[in-house]
Amino acid sequence: MFKSLKSRLIITFTLIIILTVGMIDYVVLTEYANKNIAERKSKTFATANIIADLSKYQLDNANILRTILYQHTREIDGRVLIINRKKEVIMDSFYELEGKVIDAIEVEQALKNKDSMNLYSTPSKIMQLAVPMTIEDQTSDNILGTVLLSVSINDIESSLQSLRWQVLIFSLLGVILAIGACILAAHSISKPIAGLTQAAKKITQGKLGTQVNVRGKNEIAQLSTTFNEMSQEIAFIDQNRRNFISSASHELKTPLSSMKALVQPLLHEDIDGETRREFLEDIDGEIDRLTKLIHSLLTLTRMEELKLKMTKQSLYPVLERVMSILQPIAQENNVALINKVSDNLAFSFDKEHLTMVFLNIIENGIKYRDPSKESHVLVYLQEEKDFIQLIFQDNGIGMSAESTPYIFKDFYRGDHSRSRSTGGYGLGLSITHRIITLHDWTIEVKSALGEGSQFIIKIPMKK
């Protein structure tokens, strides 16, 4: 029961509204009643005190007492009893209780020189109060008796009842309108959440990239935007996974197919020793290629769990070591390797993995040289406002503008005319990008066909 968020919101808001309106109604009605009773009490006490002051010297004069009562009872529309200290009624404005003893609590209190007031329902609503009649002398207060005054407060009760009905009617209308607003609000809150739930179910069913409508700029809209971004990222990751598996399968299939083609003649044909040796050398070359590809794939997959060993050191010796490793290949291809990085600056980086980055970038500069030029790969630093740029610049064949946005993707090779004889599988720069990202650095490429390429690694300056 009430499992849905919408029903829970409606019930919660409704209860809050009803409780709030009920409390407000109670306070308003209570304050109204208290205020009117207080005003009536004040007015009645004032009248009782006037009667007491006028009557205390005329207790033996019935005519004057009757006149006093007649004049003041008309003002308050009530009943007045003048009572002596023996609790006997001396004068009754209604002529009914004269000579009788009144043993009311208000009389008891008044004879103790205390004002007293109580409310009664008989069955009409009555306010009854008593004040003492005293004559002050030099020794003590001489209590002669008391004035007991009873007035109806039915008019207050009637106006209060009328106000109750008005408050009830307006409260019910307010509650109905508020509940309607709550239903609309609950619907506006639960609808996008229900949409998110349905979209999440679609994703679990394999419909990756499912999007939800985003309306407004509130927290739910922000949640929906984040959900869309997450869904898109999941779809992107899944597509990359599929592409990765497809590309990896294709790259693995090629050397395996070549080896099978080379093995078949060895199994079923009579081949002379020299040809057999050539076939075996080709198979050995394909095995080397396959080993290199598998090593690159393993390196790429391990990037997600890689923990860098950061130490503060200079880039210069690392670049020198990389260039010394690649120097034989560079000389063979007439490519000059130039290191202009200063040995004075130190950065925090993982030496082993940054060596891999430098090997990939410089080796690409050698592979994709322009034979018609005096080729070179130049490495230098350039200081900017908030970061330092480590730039690898070559004057090779370059890349088209269409290729550069995808150059760091898995298995991507910008120039499809490049043959696999260069030894590339489109994984080196993908590995490079991931290592740089793990350092919290960035890498970008600027290139143009026939003009060479610039690989720019941006290293934030520590403040």
Side-chain angles (χ1 to χ4, degrees):
M1 185 177 182
F2 307 130
K3 291 183 178 180
S4 70
L5 176 63
K6 182 178 179 180
S7 61
R8 288 182 180 181
L9 286 171
I10 292 172
I11 291 170
T12 301
F13 289 153
T14 300
L15 289 175
I16 292 172
I17 290 167
I18 291 174
L19 289 173
T20 303
V21 171
M23 291 175 64
I24 292 172
D25 290 353
Y26 174 79
V27 170
V28 169
L29 293 172
T30 302
E31 285 297 315
Y32 176 82
N34 290 341
K35 181 182 178 182
N36 281 273
I37 289 173
E39 289 177 354
R40 183 66 55 86
K41 176 183 174 182
S42 176
K43 181 180 178 181
T44 306
F45 263 121
T47 302
N49 283 314
I50 292 172
I51 294 173
D53 288 339
L54 295 174
S55 301
K56 61 186 177 182
Y57 298 109
Q58 307 296 332
L59 295 179
D60 296 329
N61 193 329
N63 291 329
I64 295 177
L65 287 178
R66 184 72 63 189
T67 303
I68 293 170
L69 295 187
Y70 176 75
Q71 289 176 347
H72 291 89
T73 52
R74 288 186 305 172
E75 297 176 4
I76 61 172
D77 189 24
R79 183 174 190 173
V80 179
L81 301 178
I82 298 177
I83 302 169
N84 63 22
R85 67 177 66 187
K86 295 180 181 181
K87 302 181 184 179
E88 295 175 348
V89 178
I90 299 173
M91 189 66 63
D92 179 5
S93 61
F94 282 14
Y95 307 100
E96 296 176 354
L97 300 176
E98 292 173 356
K100 294 184 179 181
V101 174
I102 302 298
D103 198 17
I105 188 171
E106 294 83 12
V107 174
E108 291 282 351
Q109 294 295 317
L111 292 176
K112 294 178 183 179
N113 201 21
K114 296 179 181 178
D115 292 344
S116 177
M117 187 277 291
N118 288 295
L119 301 176
Y120 298 97
S121 297
T122 61
S124 61
K125 298 289 184 179
I126 293 174
M127 176 187 292
Q128 185 167 282
L129 56 85
V131 296
M133 292 187 295
T134 61
I135 298 177
E136 298 181 2
D137 54 28
Q138 296 179 351
T139 57
S140 63
D141 291 338
N142 188 5
I143 299 176
L144 303 177
T146 178
V147 174
L148 181 65
L149 200 153
S150 301
V151 294
S152 173
I153 56 170
N154 284 334
D155 57 329
I156 296 176
E157 185 65 24
S158 297
S159 64
L160 181 62
Q161 187 64 27
S162 176
L163 180 62
R164 283 196 189 102
W165 280 109
Q166 293 177 27
V167 168
L168 178 61
I169 291 170
F170 283 110
S171 296
L172 286 174
L173 290 174
V175 167
I176 291 170
L177 291 173
I179 291 174
C182 287
I183 293 172
L184 293 175
H187 180 72
S188 67
I189 293 172
S190 61
K191 185 178 179 181
I193 294 176
L196 287 169
T197 302
Q198 292 300 319
K201 287 180 179 179
K202 288 181 181 180
I203 290 176
T204 60
Q205 294 168 359
K207 297 178 181 179
L208 306 181
T210 301
Q211 302 284 289
V212 295
N213 292 328
V214 180
R215 294 181 180 179
K217 296 182 180 180
N218 55 27
E219 289 80 358
I220 294 179
Q222 294 173 8
L223 176 63
S224 299
T225 301
T226 303
F227 177 90
N228 287 341
E229 292 173 353
M230 178 195 70
S231 177
Q232 191 173 2
E233 185 65 20
I234 291 173
F236 178 75
I237 291 172
D238 183 71
Q239 186 61 45
N240 279 353
R241 178 182 62 83
R242 293 173 185 272
N243 292 341
F244 182 86
I245 293 172
S246 175
S247 300
S249 300
H250 177 76
E251 295 293 345
L252 289 169
K253 182 180 178 182
T254 301
L256 289 173
S257 298
S258 298
M259 285 189 286
K260 185 173 180 61
L262 292 168
V263 168
Q264 288 295 331
L266 295 176
L267 293 175
H268 303 291
E269 298 179 13
D270 293 331
I271 300 176
D272 60 82
E274 183 63 27
T275 303
R276 181 182 295 273
R277 181 178 180 81
E278 289 179 4
F279 276 26
L280 290 174
E281 286 177 350
D282 289 341
I283 292 171
D284 184 62
E286 292 298 326
I287 291 172
D288 288 341
R289 288 182 59 209
L290 189 59
T291 301
K292 185 176 180 181
L293 173 59
I294 292 171
H295 176 74
S296 296
L297 289 172
L298 288 173
T299 302
L300 190 63
T301 55
R302 288 170 182 167
M303 285 293 106
E304 303 299 331
E305 301 175 359
L306 180 63
K307 293 184 180 180
L308 300 178
K309 298 177 182 178
M310 307 290 281
T311 56
K312 193 168 186 179
Q313 53 195 306
S314 172
L315 293 169
Y316 179 82
V318 181
L319 284 164
E320 283 294 303
R321 180 170 176 270
V322 169
M323 288 184 175
S324 66
I325 293 171
L326 296 175
Q327 191 62 40
I329 302 174
Q331 287 181 348
E332 182 180 342
N333 291 279
N334 297 318
V335 179
L337 303 181
I338 306 166
N339 181 11
K340 288 191 175 182
V341 172
S342 171
D343 194 21
N344 297 327
L345 294 175
F347 305 92
S348 291
F349 59 87
D350 184 308
K351 182 178 179 180
E352 177 185 351
H353 290 92
L354 209 62
T355 298
M356 189 185 303
V357 168
F358 295 162
L359 281 169
N360 283 332
I361 296 175
I362 296 175
E363 189 175 12
N364 274 348
I366 297 171
K367 286 179 183 178
Y368 304 117
R369 66 197 178 278
D370 186 346
S372 64
K373 303 177 184 176
E374 291 186 3
S375 301
H376 68 263
V377 178
L378 171 64
V379 186
Y380 62 95
L381 290 173
Q382 182 173 301
E383 292 190 26
E384 299 293 339
K385 182 179 179 181
D386 298 321
F387 53 85
I388 293 178
Q389 295 186 141
L390 176 62
I391 301 173
F392 296 78
Q393 181 176 312
D394 66 62
N395 62 342
I397 59 176
M399 291 176 283
S400 64
E402 292 78 13
S403 298
T404 52
Y406 308 100
I407 198 67
F408 297 111
K409 302 293 183 183
D410 298 339
F411 295 104
Y412 185 83
R413 278 174 286 192
D415 187 351
H416 294 288
S417 66
R418 297 172 179 174
S419 67
R420 290 187 177 86
S421 63
T422 60
Y425 294 95
L427 291 176
L429 289 179
S430 177
I431 293 170
T432 292
H433 183 268
R434 296 191 187 193
I435 292 173
I436 293 298
T437 302
L438 287 171
H439 278 79
D440 289 328
W441 300 353
T442 59
I443 184 169
E444 60 185 45
V445 62
K446 294 180 180 179
S447 186
L449 286 174
E451 297 181 10
S453 302
Q454 269 191 350
F455 285 86
I456 304 168
I457 297 174
K458 292 183 178 180
I459 307 171
M461 295 179 68
K462 300 295 181 181
K463 295 183 180 180

